[in-house]
Amino acid sequence: MNLKNLWSNDGFAPEYFRAVMPEKRFYLLLRALRFDDFRSRNERLSIDKLAAIRSIFHDFVKRCQDCYTIGENVTIDEMLEGFRGKCNFRQYIPNKPNKYGIKIQALVDSKTFYTSNMEVYVGTQPDGPFKCENNPSSVVKRLISTISKTGRNVTMDSWYNSIPLATELLKTHKLTVIGTLQKNKREIPTCFLDIKKRTLNSTIFGYEKDILLTSYVPKKNKNVLMISTMHEHGIIDSESGDQKKPEVITYYNSTKGGVDVVDELKGEYSVAKISCRWPLTIYFALMNIAGINSQIIFRDKTKPNTPNT
């Protein structure tokens, strides 16, 4: 909806907006909106690419973690906030609706879709306190730092997942992992990769200490590789019918969509508008997530027979 229509006096626009402030006042505040002290920004930019919104982003994520306890299953995936302006860490992801934008990697409750932890991808940081590794394993370990040693399960796709990472999360952080696996991993036996002679809907299970490897052929020339440190036995899900899906895959399908659902919910009632300032794009994303998270907390606190705290 065009913002100017909110201040229309033709009888169709809600009176609420005109009662709060004049239209010119709103646009003035929007143009002047900043999230840090501009007098020290250049100094902070020398060690942090995210300096223009670092403080509010950090405080928001901390508040999300303090106000709600997520459930037993979490999802790690990426969001892409649409942005085509000038930004040296803007990303291009062709399979996303916006394609160009700012990538935010998030940890989300797989059931309630509460966003608990986030990290903006800014590429290689300058030398200093904010410089860190950007490989998938390091990103995952930073995102799960708040739930380490809690016995939860982490679901993630093949970009993040690997056998060494799954083993480390289980032994060091007491977290189980379920996820797809890329076919170029050297730990995968060759018999799991050769599917030419295998029948449709066939499954091969491989067992190692604390890890279950699964290869499933859903259709011709398609091989789905999965690992799980949660499942001890390779079992076919009887409810999958003729597809004969392994239980690992059906569990993965039920927990993988946490971040994708948050993206859909953000689009339903988005407060974002087109902007040429990337800090404002991130701020709009935080506002959208705040609306979702607050609704989840409200529903949780107002359940029947549940006291408000």
Side-chain angles (χ1 to χ4, degrees), residues 189 192 204-214 231-235:
F192 280 75
I204 296 178
F205 295 107
Y207 301 90
E208 194 175 333
K209 184 180 180 181
D210 300 323
I211 294 182
L212 174 65
L213 175 64
T214 304
H231 296 80
E232 297 180 355
H233 307 289
I235 300 174

Side-chain angles (χ1 to χ4, degrees), residues 158 161-163 179-183 185 188 213 225-227:
S158 58
N161 208 3
S162 67
I163 292 177
T180 53
L181 200 63
Q182 293 179 352
K183 299 176 179 62
K185 302 298 184 182
I188 302 174
L213 175 64
L225 290 170
M226 304 277 304
I227 60 169

Side-chain angles (χ1 to χ4, degrees), residues 14 26-27 36 54 59 85 89 93 103 109 123 153 167 177-178 187 196 201 205 213 246 252:
F26 174 80
Y27 278 102
D36 69 327
R54 168 70 68 180
D59 291 346
F89 49 85
I93 304 179
K103 183 166 74 172
D109 188 305
N153 177 71
T167 303
V177 167
I178 292 179
E187 297 89 355
K196 292 181 180 179
N201 303 322
F205 295 107
L213 175 64
Y252 170 79

Side-chain angles (χ1 to χ4, degrees), residues 149 201 216:
K149 299 181 180 180
N201 303 322
Y216 173 66

Side-chain angles (χ1 to χ4, degrees), residues 12 24 35-36 53-54 59 86 99 103 112 129 144 158 170 174 184 196 198 254 261 272-273 278 286:
F12 293 99
K24 290 184 178 180
F35 311 100
D36 69 327
I53 199 171
R54 168 70 68 180
D59 291 346
K86 185 178 180 181
K99 299 190 186 312
K103 183 166 74 172
T112 65
I144 61 94
S158 58
L170 180 64
K174 310 302 180 185
N184 60 357
K196 292 181 180 179
R198 289 175 55 184
S254 68
V261 172
K273 66 183 293 291
W278 64 261
L286 297 184

